[in-house]
């Protein structure tokens, strides 16, 4: 018997490109935003919050292009409770097949104090702005920011005003990650019971993970009647992040017996999106992260392995294939050809054009010469590095480091704007010595904010993936690279970040956010 049709449908609202991207350091380039939006659309996300159009020229451009390209998803832009914000938002999303305006204002006592509005003045502002949005767009979502710390009577009052003014989705944000499951459910239940017209709108939940309860809070809200979950891939977002899409979607799938709600997500696309978001944001996924962590399907201990070999259900509650993890363990080596590489990548959910494949194949051969067995993770790292290699102003030509107990130094040749330049330097360790060479050959004021190394696979011949985050004049970029030589990977990641910074400089700051959604006056 097919029970799906009887289930309540929960809408998945992805805000990776808005709430996720505004996390310091997670800034994505224009092309990366378009790529992630296309993948979300393909995965079946119901609503994509593509950005905050008034924040910067870059945000506006990205939201408009995503709106034009979207095939099925509703495309939503965020705006504060100000008429020019809402107009700008509409300008960006109006070409979407299915546009949505999302507007919000902070309603808790602490947030009301910022624009210095009393309760009545704020209520009036909500009526005015939601009505304005509704005159522009049929689909309007309204959020009382910091709802979970707003007086319940006032929350009911403002939600009623927003519904009367034409909002069809009411989103309840737990802005500071303060609520807990019972309270999250209570709020939704109370709004549904007390607010006239509540049955005519969709209630949505938007949770932050400051106390590690975002997934539990979102699911509790659904059980109480919310029918939209706002979330991000990998839980990307400010501070401890937002509700992770993969967690709520897989929880609803795996525990459908006790939470009989369906989503429209093609879960087999989860892993590829997780990898792409990690790569473009520079926020790698912790190994033990639920659902998409590297260890999520690893069964290391002897007892577990024995159990899993006899019956996978002994210790596994979901199948790796359900999230798009390839179960085939075919390892490529130096004799593998281009067709084998293409088919392996396809199995990993990665489809490349002929030129890209050619480029990845050269890198694969080079790696296979140095490393006996090339695993899935190695290939993913190769693809991610290859994707950004373009018309770069800086590149590494040669590096030699000396390290050991008697001091560390580096000799380097870099190509800077077509010209070869060489130098030598010392430092506190080989990476520091090599980075000092980069600074000598290409002097810059960018500050190093993050330097992170991870081994792609096990073994001493493993590739290292390195992320380097640089900050300059409010611009933050992340560079990444992979190599079996950790120092080479580090220098390439540093140079990658510098190249990205140079591209942003060239755009005279158009990607820089001039306004934050927290400027609520
Ligand atoms: O966390 C929050 O309150 C938000 C709103 C703008 C919806 O992200
Ligand atoms: Zn948020």
């Amino acid at each position: 018997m097919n029970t799906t049709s009887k289930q309540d449908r929960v809408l998945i609202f992805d805000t990776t490109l808005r709430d996720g991207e505004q996390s310091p350091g997670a800034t994505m380039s224009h092309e990366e935003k378009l790529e992630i939006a296309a993948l979300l659309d393909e995965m079946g996300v119901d609503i994509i919050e593509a950005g905050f159009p008034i924040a910067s020229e870059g945000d506006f451009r990205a939201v408009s292009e995503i709106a034009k390209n979207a095939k099925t998803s509703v495309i939503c832009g965020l705006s504060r409770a100000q008429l020019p914000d809402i107009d700008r938002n509409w300008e960006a999303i109006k070409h979407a097949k299915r546009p949505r305006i999302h507007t919000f204002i902070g309603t808790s006592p602490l947030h009301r104090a910022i624009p210095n509005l009393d309760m009545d003045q704020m209520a009036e502002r909500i009526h005015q702005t939601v009505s304005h949005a509704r005159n522009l767009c049929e689909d309007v979502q309204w959020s009382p920011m910091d709802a979970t710390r707003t007086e319940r009577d006032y929350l009911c009052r403002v939600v009623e005003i927003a519904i009367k003014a034409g909002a069809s989705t009411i989103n309840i944000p737990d802005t500071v990650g303060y609520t807990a499951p019972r309270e999250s459910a209570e709020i939704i239940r109370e709004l549904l019971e007390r607010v006239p017209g509540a049955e005519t709108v969709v209630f949505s939940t938007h949770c932050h993970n400051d106390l590690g309860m975002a997934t539990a809070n979102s699911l509790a809200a659904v059980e109480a009647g919310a029918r939209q979950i706002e979330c991000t891939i990998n839980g990307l977002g400010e501070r401890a992040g937002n509700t992770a899409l993969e967690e709520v979607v897989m929880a609803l799938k795996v525990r459908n017996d006790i939470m009989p709600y369906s989503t429209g997500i093609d879960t087999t696309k989860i892993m590829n999106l997780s990898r792409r978001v990690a790569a473009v944001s520079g926020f790698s996924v912790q190994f033990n992260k639920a659902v998409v962590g590297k260890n999520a399907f690893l069964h290391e201990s002897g007892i577990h392995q024995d159990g899993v070999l006899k019956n996978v259900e002994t210790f596994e509650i979901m199948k790796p294939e359900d999230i798009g993890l390839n179960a085939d363990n075919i390892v490529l080596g130096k004799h593998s050809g281009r067709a084998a590489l293409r088919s392996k990548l396809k199995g990993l959910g990665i489809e490349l054009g002929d030129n890209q494949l050619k480029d990845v194949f050269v890198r694969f051969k080079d790696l296979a010469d140095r490393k006996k067995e090339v695993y899935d993770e190695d290939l993913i790292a190769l693809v991610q590095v290859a994707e950004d290699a373009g018309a770069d102003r800086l590149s590494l030509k040669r590096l030699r480091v000396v390290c050991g107990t008697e001091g560390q130094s580096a000799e380097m040749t870099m190509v800077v704007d077509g010209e070869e330049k060489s130098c030598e330097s010392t430092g506190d360790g080989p990476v520091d010595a090599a980075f000092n060479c980069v600074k000598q050959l290409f002097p810059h004021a960018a500050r190093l904010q993050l330097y992170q190394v991870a081994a792609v696979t096990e073994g001493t011949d493993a590739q290292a993936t390195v992320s380097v985050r640089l900050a300059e004049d409010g611009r933050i970029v992340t560079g990444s690279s992979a190599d079996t030589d950790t120092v080479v990977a580090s220098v390439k990641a540093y140079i990658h970040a510098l190249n990205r910074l140079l591209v942003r400089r060239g755009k005279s700051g158009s990607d820089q956010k001039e306004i934050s959604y927290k400027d609520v006056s």
Side-chain angles (χ1 to χ4, degrees):
M1 189 177 70
N2 180 3
T3 52
T4 315
S5 56
K6 288 199 190 130
Q7 294 181 339
D8 273 318
R9 176 79 152 73
V10 172
L11 299 170
I12 297 297
F13 177 116
D14 181 277
T15 183
T16 306
L17 297 172
R18 200 278 298 169
D19 221 355
E21 206 253 352
Q22 81 196 12
S23 169
T27 322
M28 298 174 199
S29 71
H30 182 73
E31 291 67 31
E32 288 164 349
K33 287 182 193 173
L34 300 193
E35 182 204 338
I36 299 298
L39 292 173
L40 290 168
D41 195 356
E42 232 177 78
M43 181 167 75
V45 159
D46 298 284
I47 305 107
I48 299 173
E49 189 161 54
F52 181 29
I54 196 113
S56 69
E57 270 304 309
D59 264 49
F60 181 86
R61 258 189 335 119
V63 177
S64 353
E65 219 160 310
I66 291 170
K68 285 177 196 151
N69 296 346
K71 293 198 174 78
T72 336
S73 306
V74 171
I75 300 301
C76 173
L78 181 70
S79 31
R80 296 169 300 179
Q82 294 178 19
L83 304 190
D85 263 44
I86 295 171
D87 291 342
R88 187 82 175 137
N89 188 354
W90 175 240
E91 279 307 303
I93 59 165
K94 69 180 179 193
H95 299 293
K97 288 193 190 91
R98 301 166 67 204
R100 173 180 293 188
I101 293 179
H102 181 190
T103 180
F104 74 98
I105 194 161
T107 51
S108 66
L110 284 166
H111 281 266
R112 289 199 301 267
I114 304 172
N116 200 16
L117 296 177
D118 66 24
M119 284 181 164
D120 293 336
Q121 289 165 327
M122 179 161 286
E124 176 48 36
R125 173 88 74 95
I126 294 164
H127 176 76
Q128 182 201 21
T129 48
V130 175
S131 307
H132 183 72
R134 185 63 186 77
N135 286 335
L136 296 170
C137 183
E138 258 181 46
D139 185 350
V140 174
Q141 169 168 328
W142 180 73
S143 294
M145 184 163 73
D146 207 14
T148 54
R149 293 192 299 170
T150 299
E151 304 89 328
R152 222 51 84 73
D153 287 347
Y154 190 58
L155 188 62
C156 288
R157 179 177 163 198
V158 288
V159 166
E160 184 180 348
I161 289 170
I163 296 175
K164 285 202 173 121
S168 45
T169 302
I170 300 292
N171 178 45
I172 301 300
D174 181 31
T175 305
V176 290
Y178 178 70
T179 199
R182 196 171 57 203
E183 187 183 64
S184 173
E186 249 169 44
I187 295 173
I188 299 291
R189 221 172 274 126
E190 193 170 332
L191 289 168
L192 279 166
E193 275 166 20
R194 287 182 56 190
V195 176
E199 70 291 348
T200 64
V201 299
V202 171
F203 277 91
S204 165
T205 173
H206 174 112
C207 299
H208 282 264
N209 204 29
D210 298 66
L211 292 171
M213 293 192 278
T215 295
N217 290 338
S218 303
L219 295 173
V222 167
E223 293 196 279
R227 287 294 175 269
Q228 175 176 294
I229 301 179
E230 301 208 353
C231 46
T232 60
I233 301 289
N234 297 340
L236 189 69
E238 268 186 296
R239 309 185 311 275
N242 290 55
T243 301
L245 179 146
E246 62 278 8
E247 292 178 15
V248 285
V249 167
M250 289 312 288
L252 291 177
K253 187 177 165 98
V254 173
R255 294 312 313 272
N256 204 256
D257 53 333
I258 55 166
M259 292 182 285
Y261 312 101
S262 66
T263 73
I265 299 294
D266 174 356
T267 62
T268 64
K269 308 240 186 267
I270 285 179
M271 203 56 217
N272 186 38
L273 249 157
S274 164
R275 286 177 186 135
R276 287 307 294 146
V277 168
V280 302
S281 66
F283 278 69
S284 37
V285 175
Q286 78 195 49
F287 281 14
N288 57 342
K289 161 86 180 63
V291 184
V292 291
K294 194 170 180 295
N295 292 357
F297 290 93
L298 272 188
H299 300 279
E300 206 82 69
S301 89
I303 306 168
H304 284 207
Q305 274 184 7
D306 192 40
V308 170
L309 286 177
K310 286 188 183 122
N311 178 356
V312 286
E313 285 179 19
T314 322
F315 286 102
E316 264 185 23
I317 57 165
M318 21 182 183
K319 294 199 281 301
E321 307 88 272
D322 289 346
I323 59 156
L325 259 180
N326 201 336
D328 100 52
N329 287 324
I330 300 164
V331 178
L332 298 186
K334 69 177 177 189
H335 300 297
S336 308
R338 199 178 299 196
L341 177 66
R342 190 195 283 276
S343 124
K344 182 80 187 171
L345 289 172
K346 197 161 176 234
L348 292 169
I350 303 168
E351 299 208 30
L352 300 180
D354 286 345
N355 284 341
Q356 280 173 305
L357 184 71
K358 215 157 119 191
D359 179 29
V360 174
F361 188 64
V362 172
R363 289 162 188 267
F364 158 70
K365 281 288 177 188
D366 176 50
L367 179 66
D369 272 343
R370 289 179 284 140
K371 196 171 182 290
K372 231 172 46 209
E373 291 172 322
V374 179
Y375 297 99
D376 293 358
E377 291 83 355
D378 288 315
L379 291 176
I380 291 158
L382 278 186
V383 172
Q384 285 173 348
V385 172
E387 281 185 2
D388 231 29
D392 293 335
R393 283 182 56 189
L394 314 172
S395 61
L396 176 68
K397 172 92 186 182
R398 186 182 152 269
L399 172 67
R400 201 178 114 81
V401 287
V402 176
C403 58
T405 50
E406 269 137 55
Q408 299 82 30
S409 61
E411 286 169 34
M412 184 183 293
T413 303
M414 258 174 79
V415 180
V416 179
D417 291 326
E419 194 189 324
E420 279 191 20
K421 294 184 171 185
S422 302
C423 77
E424 287 180 29
S425 190
T426 55
D428 289 332
V431 174
D432 192 48
F435 280 18
N436 286 339
C437 284
V438 177
K439 285 181 214 153
Q440 268 189 56
L441 297 176
F442 184 74
H444 56 270
R447 265 183 320 103
L448 182 72
Q449 278 202 334
L450 172 100
Y451 169 67
Q452 191 173 277
V453 185
V456 171
T457 54
E458 289 72 36
T460 48
D461 67 345
Q463 284 196 97
T465 50
V466 178
S467 297
V468 168
R469 193 178 301 149
L470 298 177
E472 183 192 67
D473 293 338
R475 297 179 188 88
I476 302 175
V477 292
T478 305
S480 53
S481 188
D483 201 284
T484 46
D485 184 316
T486 309
V487 188
V488 171
S490 304
V491 170
K492 285 186 174 169
Y494 190 6
I495 292 176
H496 182 209
L498 284 172
N499 277 320
R500 290 185 133 191
L501 210 48
L502 294 174
V503 172
R504 300 258 161 102
R505 271 193 207 160
K507 284 187 189 157
S508 59
S510 68
D511 277 356
Q512 245 180 296
K513 302 210 191 301
E514 285 135 26
I515 297 175
S516 150
Y517 82 106
K518 289 177 185 151
D519 304 330
V520 272
S521 55

